Amino acid sequence: MTENNIEMLQYRPAVGIMLLNRQGRVFLGRRIDMPVAPAWQMPQGGIDPGETPRQAAMRELEEEIGTGKAKISGGVWGGRYRGQRQKWFAMRFTGRDVDINLATEHPEFDAWQWVAPDRLPELIVPFKRQLYIDILAEFREHCIACRDEERSSC
């Protein structure tokens, strides 16, 4: 494909999810399709025709980590990134760790972990690093632990 042809392609509408647990840690999954150089990432994927970004975000959680136990706490309607036009959501995980099940119909991850938000840039593949730094800046206020008296709103 020539450079001119690439410039003619449209960006794929997509969503990304920064899923935070009650301790303010971020969910990362290790991609199955990159065993030589493990790649950790937050859940993300395309928006299907007729689907809203919020619906797509909830569907992607179900498809990628086997749970829909989350509520949206913030969104960024950001710009273009190579290959996709992404809408990112900060979500608070409302379940327990046992609710996460990577053995979905079409698995994308083979391992997962909760990490401190500031560790995201060091764990992510280099081509996504700046994106994750930008997402952290936008969602910083959501990356806090929930205190007991706030649990109903977290």
Side-chain angles (χ1 to χ4, degrees), residues 9-132:
L9 293 174
Q10 294 182 357
Y11 283 87
R12 176 181 177 216
V15 294
I17 301 116
M18 176 184 272
L19 185 64
L20 297 148
N21 68 8
R22 283 178 164 58
Q23 291 74 40
R25 295 192 177 268
V26 179
F27 176 93
L28 287 183
R30 187 175 64 195
R31 293 193 57 89
I32 287 175
D33 59 354
M34 299 183 75
V36 175
W40 293 89
Q41 72 175 47
M42 293 184 276
Q44 64 182 62
I47 300 172
D48 291 340
E51 191 174 46
T52 68
R54 288 174 180 263
Q55 290 168 331
M58 296 307 295
R59 177 184 49 75
E60 286 295 332
L61 278 182
E62 287 280 347
E63 289 180 3
E64 293 189 3
I65 68 169
T67 186
K69 294 188 177 196
K71 65 179 184 177
I72 295 172
S73 57
V76 174
W77 312 109
R80 284 181 198 217
Y81 298 99
R82 180 171 242 162
Q84 296 182 342
R85 181 179 306 244
Q86 297 180 324
K87 298 180 185 301
W88 278 85
F89 293 91
M91 292 187 177
R92 188 65 68 177
F93 184 54
T94 59
R96 298 174 302 150
D97 286 357
V98 297
D99 294 319
I100 294 172
N101 178 10
L102 300 183
T104 61
E105 186 174 344
H106 302 285
E108 291 196 30
F109 302 127
D110 65 359
W112 68 276
Q113 62 180 319
W114 294 109
V115 301
D118 292 340
R119 290 200 55 221
L120 287 176
E122 75 186 60
L123 297 171
I124 300 308
V125 292
F127 75 90
K128 289 187 179 185
R129 192 163 290 135
Q130 188 58 53
L131 167 64
Y132 278 38

